[in-house]
Amino acid sequence: MPSFDIGVGHGSAYHLVEDNIAHYVVKAYRGRPDRALTAGSIVRHIIQELGVTGFSLQPEHIMRGVSVFEERTGRKMLEAETGTFPVRYRCVYHKDIRIP
């Protein structure tokens, strides 16, 4: 029976992002957790990291995933900067995750 490599479909990619939200968010900061990023720029980094053609995420998806992660673990991942529009975030979860 021949095998086919179908890659990661969009449904699988959404689950992958949800399951590994902390990893993807921290990786979006690429070793500079003190810089501020918007939810949109984090989304662009995640889409680039996944490399799935035609895949789209909205900033709301990422922020929802972050809030679910924070509720489940009791650990804060992102901190909003006041007075910025669009809202910019700093990564405050990076101390326990290795950033390449």
Side-chain angles (χ1 to χ4, degrees):
M1 182 102 184
S3 63
F4 298 97
D5 181 13
I6 59 171
V8 178
H10 291 191
S12 297
Y14 284 116
H15 288 296
L16 192 62
V17 171
E18 288 171 8
D19 292 344
N20 300 297
I21 190 72
H23 168 76
Y24 284 116
V25 168
V26 169
K27 200 159 184 180
Y29 282 86
R30 297 186 188 196
R32 295 183 3 221
D34 293 332
R35 74 177 170 165
L37 294 178
T38 63
S41 60
I42 293 170
V43 164
R44 285 191 295 279
H45 285 290
I46 291 172
I47 289 173
Q48 184 179 17
E49 174 82 16
L50 287 173
V52 177
T53 308
F55 181 68
S56 69
L57 277 173
Q58 297 299 315
E60 300 82 34
H61 294 137
I62 296 304
M63 297 316 294
R64 188 174 340 123
V66 166
S67 65
V68 167
F69 175 87
E70 290 175 343
E71 286 174 18
R72 287 182 181 165
T73 64
R75 300 283 315 276
K76 189 120 177 93
M77 189 185 317
L78 294 176
E79 191 171 79
E81 286 188 349
T82 55
T84 58
F85 185 79
V87 179
R88 296 179 72 81
Y89 299 91
R90 292 197 186 277
C91 181
V92 294
Y93 185 71
H94 69 280
K95 293 176 182 151
D96 294 334
I97 297 180
R98 209 167 189 210
I99 303 175

